[in-house]
Amino acid sequence: MFATFNFEESPELREPPKRSRRRDRSVKYLRALSAKNNQERTQHDPSQVPGPSNSAAPISAPHTVISMAETVAPVLQAQLPAPRPGILRVPSNYPSDDEARPSTSTASNPRRESRWAVIRERSPQIVSKEVKFQEKTKKLDLNKGRMKSRSAGSRDRKANRSNPADDGNQKSFSDVVKTAMMLRNWISAMEHDERESEPDGDPTTTNAEHSTNTTVNSEAPLVEIPPMAFAARPTGWAQTRDYLKEKWYQLRYFYVTENSTFFYYWSAIITLGVLYNMCAMVIFIFDDVHQGYFWQWVYMNTFFDIIFLLDCVVGARMTFVHEGNEVRETTKMWRNYKRSQRFKLDAATLIPADLILFILSEASLIRIFRMIKIYRLYEFIVLTQRRTDFPHFMKILFLSTSCAILFHWNACVYFLFSLAEGLSEDDTNAFGFSYYKVFDPRFPTCTAFVDEDCWYPEDQSVLDIRDERIKYMQEMYKFWEDKFSITSLGNFSREYSMTIYWSSLTITKCGQQPWPSSSLQNALEIFDTLIGVLVFATIIGGVGSVVTQMSQNVNMFREMMDGIKFYMKYRGVQSAIQDRVLNCFLYLNTHNQLYDEEEILSLLPPRFQANIAANLHQETLSKVALFYRCDPRLLQEVVMLVKQQVYSPNDYLCRKNEKAKEMYLVKKGTLSVLEDDDNMRELDTLREGSTFGELSLVHVKGNLLGDRRSVSLRSVGYSDVYILHQDDMTRLLQEYPDERKRLLENARRMLHSRGLLETNELGEMCDNTDDMDDEQMLDFLSVDEQLNRLEGIIEGIDKELGQMVASFSHTSVFFKKRVTALEEIYNSNKKRIRADLYNGILKTGYDDKILLI
Ligand SMILES: Nc1ncnc2c1ncn2[C@@H]1O[C@@H]2COP(=O)(O)O[C@H]2[C@H]1O
């Protein structure tokens, strides 16, 4: 996993504004123009410049929008053709104010006219653009006018248009104005957006445009915008820059943890490289492969070498634990990598020995150095076994892969050996490889099932196979001579198929092979036999353990099932009950519930047990009315007390009027709430996530139900239920006296609201336990609760006494040691001490004469 610095991700980074670069540039350009325009305006029309008091006055966002619109619009207007009097006719739905009519507003506004004059004067490009634009518009208008005039002949029903050309001009120009207006509004809106999202104090400037706009803002601010008027939100280039910066930091300081998903997948890639090297480097001893794929091999080698190089970078960014802390500092990680075994192995892997291939291309085994990376393959196997849900399958997969690689290597060694010995031409019994041993495959050209002639007429044969075998073979050969085709294989296919066959049979000792007839052949055979024995021991052991593990659970279940069956038969249990028990047992097995959860959890440290329990029950329990506003620490302990129970179909969880001692949480299944066992009227159904019976956790004085169940509850199908016992709760509440009071209060309120609590005449609750001390509280406890409490108190006293005894014995040992040490000091310095005492140098505060005796 790539680690990152904990940059605070701002919302705008998550949602980049949809602005194109072109739009940015256009805004920049327009801004520059408007800046000049403003500058000129201030020079030509001092009344427009806000005075110090104005500039200081904060203004709200809408004002700014209008002012910016005013700023940008004239610039656009400057590029529009000068309106011809009498031509402009704005559609009825078009804005009719001055701002919306550039021509009229410009004409009627001498101030603006003077501004444009200055702009034209100072920006010749704009003037030339304007001229070009005017010319184009004129042409457009003329063309349109011509077209209109053509159509006007046939459609003179538009009598109000006396001059069709004028009409065309008028429409096209209004289109242009309309577009310009839209453009202006769009820019205004964008300006507004942008200002709203300015990152720093200057809300009219983005970082990228700073240099352009500084002049505008410093010299002739249109309106002073308070720095905090808009939220700081980088946009455009600033945002991209921030994003790139963040990515750069992430890349520069990335780190990898061993258990991260990134490292796992990266290891998978490295493993692929290792396997590739293992297969490729030996297969290039075959001539066909070498000649046909040498350069492809070189490219692939380079690719995987780069991957291995990158693995060194990853290795240098591996976190490690130092004094219990995970170290993620770049330099420390690098130093740790340099010191590690991994670094040495990685360095050895990357020895560029395969440069020799360019001189001696046959020496493909020179890449053997890359095999050092095999340790990463082992790491990958370990990581996979940690992560996978199918460990047995993975184990068998790894075993078979290693077998395949071993066979492959052995086949190549055998071929090399045969090459060294010299290939025999036509001896099928030769130990080494011979092309004669591998025939090209032959396929029948007739179909035996369809074609009658395709069957060899054995019944017509007069030859007895036992006596005239050779003749029989010749006859057969003649018969098939024209009834098959030969597919000729390349040399490599024949070589590899034969050698891998030899290799697998020799290693597994599964088939008879030609005898070795020389010392070298013997040596190879013995070597193979040794490897075969080792491999077999490993494979059989591995597969055996996998099979044992896989069948372990099945066997255990079978044993348990047999035991139960035997017991029930032996005791003569009714067959209906037997069926119920066995069905329930099967259900538990299929839902993986035969495991003892407590036993499994007990393997974990208490902290994790608490985490798991909280994850399973805390949310459900926090919604129970009884725990309303109770201390979260109490809830954290309550979740640890919850135990699981499975109920079969029609099992009763509790019956009406039974002593209530548990609270239930439904994890899975459906429960029926029955009014009574007798009439079986269903009041309600409870499903997953429901809780009930919570009032049985505390004993409430005045409970009209008297701690009895108000209804019966029956499981419809199989139900998984979590149970919280009253005893556990009472014991826990001894440590939380305040919470006990709160729970009692909640319980009383609940009972009261259901009309199940004794009330006084005014209908108020009889007792208030809030102000009670522990002594008074005892009166409200049931005998069971009192006993529990007593047990708790005795346990507490016991604990305290134990602590006191331990502390006493510790202190006495300490003092004994001290006295012994003092005695030793005194004995060794007896004379000096006596002399000092005698001379009055040492004063003990006691009667020194006693010591001097
Ligand atoms: N009509 C009902 N619908 C759902 N749950 C009920 C209904 N009546 C009672 N219960 C719950 O079922 C529980 C049975 O045991 P208790 O009487 O202790 O508390 C009961 C309530 O929590």
Side-chain angles (χ1 to χ4, degrees):
M1 186 174 63
F2 273 112
T4 53
F5 283 87
N6 219 354
F7 291 115
E8 250 181 43
E9 202 187 355
S10 54
E12 62 278 8
L13 279 177
R14 277 180 242 124
E15 262 180 65
K18 290 163 190 147
R19 276 183 57 189
S20 71
R21 202 187 274 179
R22 197 183 288 179
R23 270 172 72 185
D24 282 349
R25 260 194 250 126
S26 66
V27 171
K28 217 167 166 182
Y29 171 66
L30 289 168
R31 274 185 169 181
L33 287 178
S34 77
K36 281 192 176 175
N37 166 32
N38 292 337
Q39 221 174 326
E40 293 310 323
R41 191 167 64 157
T42 47
Q43 282 169 13
H44 285 257
D45 189 3
S47 66
Q48 288 295 305
V49 184
S53 57
N54 280 353
S55 61
I59 78 149
S60 59
H63 286 124
T64 324
V65 178
I66 293 163
S67 59
M68 284 309 287
E70 279 175 358
T71 323
V72 179
V75 182
L76 278 162
Q77 288 158 14
Q79 298 184 56
L80 290 175
R84 278 170 286 170
I87 287 179
L88 182 68
R89 196 173 290 167
V90 182
S92 59
N93 62 346
Y94 211 68
S96 58
D97 57 318
D98 272 5
E99 200 184 31
R101 288 182 186 168
S103 59
T104 46
S105 64
T106 316
S108 64
N109 192 340
R111 243 182 353 214
R112 280 188 184 174
E113 192 52 59
S114 66
R115 247 190 288 140
W116 304 135
V118 175
I119 287 172
R120 283 191 194 104
E121 193 182 290
R122 294 203 171 185
S123 316
Q125 322 96 295
I126 294 178
V127 179
S128 66
K129 268 188 188 172
E130 188 184 336
V131 172
K132 276 182 200 163
F133 190 73
Q134 279 182 15
E135 280 169 2
K136 273 185 189 168
T137 322
K138 270 180 199 164
K139 272 184 199 165
L140 189 77
D141 289 351
L142 279 172
N143 288 342
K144 273 201 169 182
R146 269 184 223 122
M147 278 166 69
K148 287 265 174 189
S149 65
R150 251 179 255 147
S151 59
S154 58
R155 292 184 285 116
D156 56 348
R157 56 192 168 275
K158 297 200 174 178
N160 57 337
R161 291 180 188 169
S162 54
N163 185 348
D166 276 2
D167 222 355
N169 291 347
Q170 190 178 332
K171 196 158 190 320
S172 64
F173 189 72
S174 71
D175 283 350
V176 172
V177 174
K178 206 173 170 183
T179 316
M181 291 300 292
M182 271 169 60
L183 207 57
R184 191 199 63 172
N185 290 339
W186 165 70
I187 289 169
S188 307
M190 210 166 63
E191 290 278 350
H192 175 60
D193 278 359
E194 204 174 341
R195 255 179 282 116
E196 266 192 331
S197 57
E198 283 300 329
D200 36 54
D202 184 356
T204 56
T205 323
T206 63
N207 286 351
E209 293 160 4
H210 191 77
S211 57
T212 322
N213 284 347
T214 339
T215 345
V216 180
N217 294 323
S218 60
E219 287 183 19
L222 250 186
V223 267
E224 191 85 9
I225 296 158
M228 296 309 289
F230 307 106
R233 213 176 72 185
T235 53
W237 163 239
Q239 196 188 35
T240 318
R241 199 188 49 190
D242 285 354
Y243 175 78
L244 290 175
K245 217 173 182 177
E246 191 194 327
K247 288 286 154 206
W248 165 241
Y249 274 112
Q250 279 180 5
L251 197 68
R252 197 168 153 196
Y253 299 107
F254 86 92
Y255 61 85
V256 181
T257 49
E258 203 193 330
N259 292 325
S260 64
T261 313
F262 167 78
F263 186 67
Y264 177 67
Y265 288 119
W266 180 249
S267 302
I269 295 172
I270 301 295
T271 302
L272 211 67
V274 173
L275 291 177
Y276 159 78
N277 277 324
M278 277 174 141
C279 294
M281 83 175 73
V282 281
I283 212 157
F284 274 80
I285 60 161
F286 292 98
D287 212 33
D288 283 8
V289 182
H290 187 269
Q291 277 172 16
Y293 302 99
F294 178 77
W295 284 109
Q296 285 89 328
W297 180 50
V298 169
Y299 298 144
M300 282 301 281
N301 290 348
T302 316
F303 172 73
F304 279 110
D305 288 355
I306 292 169
I307 297 274
F308 286 179
L309 199 68
L310 287 177
D311 191 47
C312 297
V313 180
V314 170
R317 291 299 177 90
M318 290 274 288
T319 60
F320 62 98
V321 178
H322 179 66
E323 291 177 354
N325 295 320
E326 194 181 39
V327 178
R328 296 174 178 178
E329 282 165 53
T330 315
T331 41
K332 284 184 183 169
M333 285 189 290
W334 164 240
R335 254 182 258 143
N336 179 57
Y337 175 62
K338 256 194 329 187
R339 279 197 297 262
S340 69
Q341 192 73 11
R342 180 186 281 264
F343 175 70
K344 287 166 201 149
L345 294 174
D346 286 353
T349 305
L350 288 171
I351 291 173
D354 46 353
L355 289 175
I356 293 172
L357 284 174
F358 294 107
I359 305 160
L360 192 67
S361 65
E362 285 79 27
S364 65
L365 286 175
I366 201 74
R367 275 181 67 79
I368 196 103
F369 290 108
R370 303 292 186 266
M371 289 274 290
I372 298 170
K373 207 71 181 172
I374 206 162
Y375 82 92
R376 293 284 276 120
L377 176 88
Y378 176 72
E379 269 183 9
F380 176 70
I381 293 172
V382 173
L383 287 177
T384 308
Q385 276 168 349
R386 254 187 238 165
R387 292 174 152 246
T388 182
D389 291 335
F390 311 100
H392 303 316
F393 171 75
M394 293 316 290
K395 216 169 179 179
I396 288 180
L397 186 75
F398 291 137
L399 277 173
S400 32
T401 311
S402 19
C403 266
I405 289 174
L406 193 77
F407 291 167
H408 175 72
W409 268 71
N410 195 39
C412 296
V413 169
Y414 172 66
F415 188 71
L416 264 184
F417 185 86
S418 307
L419 281 180
E421 278 217 321
L423 302 183
S424 64
E425 283 303 309
D426 55 357
D427 185 5
T428 45
N429 287 323
F431 176 80
F433 172 79
S434 152
Y435 288 106
Y436 198 72
K437 288 182 184 178
V438 198
F439 290 108
D440 281 329
R442 287 155 164 77
F443 299 102
T445 46
C446 60
T447 318
F449 294 105
V450 181
D451 198 346
E452 280 290 307
D453 295 340
C454 207
W455 292 104
Y456 173 66
E458 277 187 17
D459 49 340
Q460 290 166 26
S461 173
V462 286
L463 296 168
D464 187 345
I465 303 171
R466 277 168 300 183
D467 298 340
E468 294 167 283
R469 188 179 173 80
I470 306 291
K471 276 189 185 169
Y472 181 80
M473 278 172 70
Q474 282 168 355
E475 192 180 299
M476 280 278 280
Y477 186 75
K478 206 158 183 52
F479 177 79
W480 284 107
E481 203 174 15
D482 55 346
K483 289 189 178 67
F484 67 85
S485 65
I486 299 175
T487 305
S488 74
L489 295 176
N491 273 351
F492 170 68
S493 315
R494 294 171 72 187
E495 289 159 3
Y496 192 70
S497 61
M498 163 63 206
T499 50
I500 197 90
Y501 171 75
W502 182 91
S503 159
S504 51
L505 285 193
T506 310
I507 284 193
T508 55
K509 299 278 155 237
C510 283
Q512 287 194 337
Q513 296 286 313
W515 298 104
S517 52
S518 71
S519 310
L520 265 178
Q521 289 173 3
N522 262 328
L524 180 67
E525 191 76 23
I526 290 166
F527 181 70
D528 261 24
T529 308
L530 275 177
I531 289 186
V533 169
L534 282 176
V535 166
F536 252 75
T538 317
I539 292 175
I540 291 176
V543 174
S545 81
V546 169
V547 172
T548 315
Q549 278 168 22
M550 278 164 82
S551 55
Q552 199 175 17
N553 296 339
V554 180
N555 290 341
M556 194 186 79
F557 171 70
R558 246 184 237 147
E559 264 174 41
M560 283 162 81
M561 191 94 168
D562 290 344
I564 293 166
K565 270 192 217 162
F566 173 77
Y567 176 82
M568 289 194 294
K569 282 224 167 77
Y570 177 69
R571 290 288 172 200
V573 179
Q574 273 180 12
S575 56
I577 297 176
Q578 280 192 28
D579 286 347
R580 272 174 72 89
V581 170
L582 293 178
N583 284 339
C584 182
F585 201 66
L586 278 170
Y587 171 83
L588 290 176
N589 184 49
T590 44
H591 289 81
N592 290 329
Q593 287 179 9
L594 276 182
Y595 300 104
D596 187 347
E597 283 193 15
E598 275 179 40
E599 198 182 312
I600 294 169
L601 285 175
S602 66
L603 300 173
L604 297 171
R607 191 166 48 88
F608 289 128
Q609 288 182 33
N611 282 352
I612 292 172
N615 183 263
L616 287 174
H617 315 299
Q618 193 147 7
E619 201 191 331
T620 319
L621 279 177
S622 61
K623 288 179 196 152
V624 174
L626 184 73
F627 296 111
Y628 176 64
R629 289 167 77 178
C630 83
D631 190 341
R633 281 172 304 170
L634 175 76
L635 261 189
Q636 278 168 14
E637 294 208 36
V638 170
V639 291
M640 297 282 288
L641 303 174
V642 171
K643 293 183 178 96
Q644 199 196 351
Q645 179 82 52
V646 176
Y647 290 89
S648 303
N650 298 324
D651 271 357
Y652 277 89
L653 280 83
C654 62
R655 290 176 192 264
K656 189 171 177 173
N657 291 331
E658 222 176 45
K659 187 102 169 94
K661 282 191 157 195
E662 300 97 5
M663 174 196 167
Y664 297 91
L665 297 106
V666 187
K667 184 195 162 200
K668 214 194 274 176
T670 313
L671 306 176
S672 282
V673 182
L674 303 174
E675 191 185 350
D676 210 323
D677 281 5
D678 302 330
N679 67 15
M680 303 282 272
R681 194 167 75 86
E682 191 178 89
L683 300 174
D684 205 349
T685 46
L686 299 172
R687 290 176 203 286
E688 191 180 319
S690 311
T691 50
F692 56 91
E694 60 267 38
L695 287 172
S696 51
L697 292 180
V698 283
H699 172 75
V700 183
K701 200 176 181 192
N703 182 353
L704 292 175
L705 285 172
D707 287 348
R708 302 274 155 186
R709 296 287 182 202
S710 56
V711 286
S712 296
L713 283 148
R714 198 179 60 182
S715 172
V716 178
Y718 284 103
S719 310
D720 290 2
V721 178
Y722 284 112
I723 300 176
L724 184 58
H725 287 277
Q726 188 198 55
D727 293 353
D728 295 333
M729 195 66 197
T730 313
R731 228 167 282 137
L732 177 66
L733 283 175
Q734 280 165 17
E735 290 166 29
Y736 293 90
D738 292 343
E739 292 312 305
R740 183 175 203 290
K741 284 178 191 166
R742 193 189 303 279
L743 254 58
L744 272 174
E745 189 57 36
N746 288 343
R748 289 166 62 75
R749 285 218 176 86
M750 285 163 74
L751 284 168
H752 185 252
S753 66
R754 292 178 202 171
L756 293 172
L757 192 71
E758 276 176 18
T759 51
N760 60 22
E761 284 164 11
L762 297 169
E764 286 166 357
M765 287 188 266
C766 291
D767 302 300
N768 190 353
T769 51
D770 267 358
D771 306 323
M772 284 183 202
D773 57 20
D774 273 7
E775 297 274 316
Q776 289 167 317
M777 189 69 93
L778 276 176
D779 298 340
F780 290 88
L781 299 179
S782 67
V783 179
D784 282 352
E785 280 183 308
Q786 287 188 20
L787 278 173
N788 271 331
R789 212 177 163 84
L790 205 62
E791 202 182 314
I793 292 167
I794 292 168
E795 266 177 23
I797 293 171
D798 201 33
K799 216 167 153 185
E800 274 176 31
L801 276 174
Q803 279 170 358
M804 282 163 76
V805 168
S807 145
F808 172 75
S809 55
H810 179 261
T811 321
S812 63
V813 167
F814 172 75
F815 277 112
K816 270 181 199 167
K817 277 184 186 166
R818 267 197 85 173
V819 168
T820 316
L822 281 171
E823 272 177 0
E824 276 171 13
I825 293 167
Y826 176 71
N827 285 335
S828 53
N829 299 289
K830 217 174 191 173
K831 277 187 184 169
R832 257 179 69 189
I833 293 168
R834 279 171 166 260
D836 286 352
L837 278 171
Y838 186 78
N839 296 328
I841 298 167
L842 185 71
K843 294 230 178 295
T844 58
Y846 299 102
D847 187 2
D848 295 342
K849 280 174 196 157
I850 298 169
L851 290 163
L852 287 170
I853 294 166

